[in-house]
Amino acid sequence: MRTLSLLVAIAAASISDQNNNMVAALSTISKSSSSRIRNPPPSPLFPLLESSTVEKEHISLPGSSDNNSNNLSPFLQEMVDEQRELQMNVGKAMDTLRKDYPDFLSRTPDYSLYHENISLKASDGQIQLSKLTSYKKALGLVRSALSLVYDADRSIIQSRMVYDPTRTELRVSYNAMLVPKIMGVTGRTVHVDGISIYAFDLSASVDREGKKNEGAGKIREHRIEKLLVNGAAMQPPYFNNFGLEALVGQRSGALVGAGAW
């Protein structure tokens, strides 16, 4: 009997140990599974957000101002600044010329647009001068002579402008109807049609020594491509084309600047 009881006790203890080992194993498996569910392994197709650079890096678009200003070299930045300044000067010239052309007979043009060494040329070679002082005298002579005979209030001057950025030139097409103050002096209304080309100074606004270039961006050349008076090309002596021969002496080159307008 004692032997039987001893065998039963040993069997019960063995079963209890096996149950405990199974519970421990199941608990370990459960913990491992739970850990894998909470922290899944990284997938090669979908990396973890922690490894993404989207939030860690600042993305600069190609067209953003920060990207352009930060990435340009000093040389390229200087070129950009010069182009921006040139565009401002061209815009100023266009605005001023739009006002000067219609009021040419009634007021003095704005000469601040022009370079000190401006040159005036005609396609036929008949008109050619240089320096701003000569340019002013020529236009002043034209204005004085025309204003003496033609009525500024009734005369009409119209213009159209087109800027060519590849050549940095401003093309102005204009036409004028000049009405005489007294019909008996010139006999009839004069019609003027012309095309003028204005070229800009492209030198740097600041020289290598750091000094400001006052002529940068100003009009350096004025070329006359076409000038018709009553449908015919204007020829010297120039005053005769406007019926002014009786009022002004016929000196050679007296209207050297007539083609400017």
Side-chain angles (χ1 to χ4, degrees):
M1 179 63 71
R2 292 180 179 178
T3 302
L4 181 60
S5 300
L6 181 60
L7 290 175
V8 171
I10 292 173
S14 176
I15 293 172
S16 176
D17 291 341
Q18 290 179 359
N19 289 336
N20 291 337
N21 291 337
M22 290 180 64
V23 170
L26 290 174
S27 177
T28 301
I29 293 173
S30 176
K31 292 180 180 180
S32 176
S33 299
S34 176
S35 175
R36 285 196 298 268
I37 293 174
R38 288 195 300 267
N39 301 302
S43 170
L45 297 178
F46 302 97
L48 292 178
L49 183 61
E50 293 180 353
S51 64
S52 174
T53 59
V54 173
E55 296 182 357
K56 294 182 181 179
E57 297 181 359
H58 174 70
I59 300 177
S60 298
L61 298 177
S64 64
S65 58
D66 293 341
N67 185 59
N68 292 336
S69 59
N70 294 335
N71 295 337
L72 290 179
S73 66
F75 176 74
L76 291 179
Q77 186 63 50
E78 183 179 356
M79 293 181 62
V80 170
D81 294 340
E82 289 179 357
Q83 286 298 316
R84 185 181 296 112
E85 185 174 359
L86 175 62
Q87 291 176 1
M88 293 177 59
N89 290 328
V90 171
K92 178 183 177 182
M94 294 180 70
D95 291 340
T96 303
L97 290 174
R98 284 193 185 100
K99 299 176 182 178
D100 286 348
Y101 267 85
D103 298 336
F104 179 68
L105 295 178
S106 58
R107 66 176 178 84
T108 303
D110 185 356
Y111 292 110
S112 64
L113 303 175
Y114 304 98
H115 197 281
E116 287 292 334
N117 296 321
I118 184 175
S119 62
L120 175 63
K121 302 177 181 179
S123 58
D124 59 2
Q126 296 290 339
I127 301 174
Q128 187 170 357
L129 59 82
S130 60
K131 301 294 184 182
L132 183 58
T133 53
S134 300
Y135 189 79
K136 290 181 178 180
K137 290 179 180 178
L139 294 189
L141 179 59
V142 176
R143 288 187 60 255
S144 298
L146 296 180
S147 299
L148 185 63
V149 177
Y150 296 99
D151 191 336
D153 295 331
R154 292 191 296 164
S155 299
I156 300 175
I157 303 176
Q158 298 176 328
S159 64
R160 296 181 301 275
M161 302 181 186
V162 177
Y163 176 65
D164 184 354
T166 58
R167 298 182 179 181
T168 61
E169 293 180 346
L170 180 62
R171 181 185 182 90
V172 181
S173 303
Y174 55 91
N175 57 80
M177 182 182 69
L178 304 179
V179 180
K181 294 179 179 180
I182 303 175
M183 294 301 294
V185 176
T186 58
R188 58 191 176 122
T189 299
V190 175
H191 296 272
V192 181
D193 299 280
I195 298 176
S196 284
I197 306 295
Y198 297 91
F200 293 83
D201 187 288
L202 301 181
S203 59
S205 58
V206 180
D207 59 19
R208 296 181 178 178
E209 298 178 356
K211 297 180 180 180
K212 186 177 180 179
N213 182 5
E214 299 294 340
K218 293 189 175 183
I219 296 175
R220 185 66 179 264
E221 184 182 65
H222 181 178
R223 300 195 312 272
I224 304 163
E225 286 197 350
K226 183 181 76 171
L227 187 61
L228 304 178
V229 179
N230 293 329
M234 195 175 75
Q235 299 291 335
Y238 299 110
F239 281 125
N240 290 358
N241 297 269
F242 298 92
L244 302 178
E245 62 273 12
L247 301 175
V248 184
Q250 297 299 318
R251 294 185 302 170
S252 176
L255 262 184
V256 69
W261 304 85

